[in-house]
Amino acid sequence: MFEQPSQCNSDINAEFLESCYTPIIQSGGKYSLKPSAVSDDNQLHSAPGATIIVSLGAWYKSYCSNIARTYFIDPSKEQEKVYNCLLAVYQAVLSALKNGEN
């Protein structure tokens, strides 16, 4: 991705793009959301109900950006319920935002 950003439908110049840190991949119920978190050497858990958290960061010129994603493997009903609740909150916050207002 960093060598050929065009593969991600991006027209940014790869000369100015680099990774901020080694990607962080965590699963198995032991998660660190700290900026100093690191992946461990354990196998990814992929049983039903497992959760995988992935984080990566990129520098572009002087700007550093970070993205994290959570993946549920065959989520339980409880995981679906919590996810849908958080999604509803997120959508409500987005709909309440107004351009130019504080």
Side-chain angles (χ1 to χ4, degrees):
M1 176 179 85
F2 293 114
E3 289 81 22
Q4 296 180 335
S6 61
Q7 290 181 338
C8 299
N9 294 326
S10 176
D11 60 356
I12 62 175
N13 186 339
E15 177 183 348
F16 300 110
L17 182 65
E18 63 183 283
S19 177
C20 288
Y21 54 85
T22 303
I24 302 165
I25 303 170
Q26 302 175 35
S27 71
K30 295 183 179 179
Y31 308 106
S32 174
L33 302 180
K34 296 179 181 179
S36 60
V38 295
S39 298
D40 59 29
D41 292 331
N42 296 328
Q43 293 282 332
L44 287 177
H45 293 252
S46 59
T51 303
I52 299 172
I53 298 177
V54 179
S55 178
L56 67 92
W59 283 99
Y60 183 66
K61 297 184 179 180
S62 298
Y63 179 77
C64 184
S65 182
N66 186 34
I67 188 167
R69 291 291 181 261
T70 302
Y71 299 97
F72 298 109
I73 310 300
D74 194 16
S76 68
K77 295 294 181 196
E78 181 67 18
Q79 286 173 314
E80 288 181 5
K81 181 180 172 183
V82 171
Y83 174 83
N84 288 327
C85 177
L86 292 173
L87 180 60
V89 170
Y90 172 75
Q91 291 171 334
V93 168
L94 281 183
S95 68
L97 294 175
K98 307 261 188 279
N99 190 21
E101 292 186 17
N102 293 331

